[in-house]
Amino acid sequence: MTHIMIAGGGIAGLTAALSLHAAGFDRITVVEAAREIQPLGAGLNIMPNAVRELDALGLLGRLDECSVRTRELRYYHRGGGLISREPRGLAAGYRWPQLSIHRGDLQRVLADAVRERLGSDAVVAGVRVDGVETSPDGRARVLLAHRDARGRGGAAASLEPDVLIGADGIRSAVRAALNPGEGEPPWNGMLVWRGVSRVPAHRAGTFMFIAGDDRQKAVVYPMTHPTGPAGRDRHVLVNWALAMPSTELTDAGRGDWNRPVPVAKFAHHYAGWEFDGVSVPEILAAADRAFEYPMVDREPLARWTHGRTTLIGDAAHAMYPIGSNGATQSIVDARALAHAMATHPDRAEALTAYETGRRPAMTELQRANRRQGPEVVISLAHARAPGGFTDIADVIAPSELAEIAARYAATGAFDPETVNAGSPYEVPQPARG
């Protein structure tokens, strides 16, 4: 039986475990450095191409219970002018919705499904990858250490799985072992603040919006259905993410997505920001905490696969948080990898086939996000009309707006035609391995 080890119990790693199990692989171990898998972080959007894959795993019903099906995305000039309105998900003609969801809720649904389908022992928490050595036959020897171990005596161990999958994020130990000397994730000079607020439903809006100019940006969207008594006492959870340049940065925490900071540190930069009744200051005032991190990514790699070891998710292609593609592409990676494993008996060939199908597009998506992806329309509007506008058509032609959105969707393979054709990662007959 093929033993598959997955380093990392986040979205990429848990989806990989479920996908491999659905493809017929039974011997799967997920090792997670944290002592337990906890619902951390803020919100995210899962695009229809990834929702399609989660639906194939039988999870859409559970996810609908703790998410919102996003129907519209709006872009605004920081002065309040509407740049564009785009239908999303089902409203845009997709067969699957776009989901706005708390990262912790998505991770909880995935973790619960892993325990139910693979058993409670499938996830081993409190164990980190301390190194990887590749033997001549391509097999990885994985050095493991217990998180709470003192020094390296007694608690260290090594395993030689048939396949090793690095799903351990932007600071991946597996990636570091395969690419020694790579160093810290490069910073682009922007700081990001993220958080969640509980606000009255009538003040939260029913749409997702991205607003700002060439220096500042705000992303806001509801991610739960209203709860509480009927009327104005009903509340929803709203995700918000803000970004602006900074000259203050230490290497500590680079790539750390959960560094707490007081909201007062940055709220004053967004005074007066209100868009079609949704007030950014009001939402920030309702937040009980905020997290700060520098906007970092990783340089595209020339290869992800070394023998029987490969990378998925942020470990493979960490990108700027633009275009809702971080978690989305991690999910697609997991499904693509499981499909390759099920359809290529030779394990090294399977990993190479997975990489061949995924790496070129992800490299281009990383580069597209460095060019601001679809959010470049905000910078264009500001550059052409810094003082605002009466009619966006006088600033950016509708055809130009449509072309920007379509080009980015095609890059990430989440245009409606491609998505609606169905998953290319279904396994007709599960492999037994």
Side-chain angles (χ1 to χ4, degrees), residues 59 64 155:
L59 299 176
D64 266 333

Side-chain angles (χ1 to χ4, degrees), residues 30 63 121 154 160 164 201 217 253 351 367:
V30 180
L63 293 171
D121 296 334
E160 295 187 11
L164 172 63
K217 183 176 73 173
L351 302 190
R367 291 170 176 160

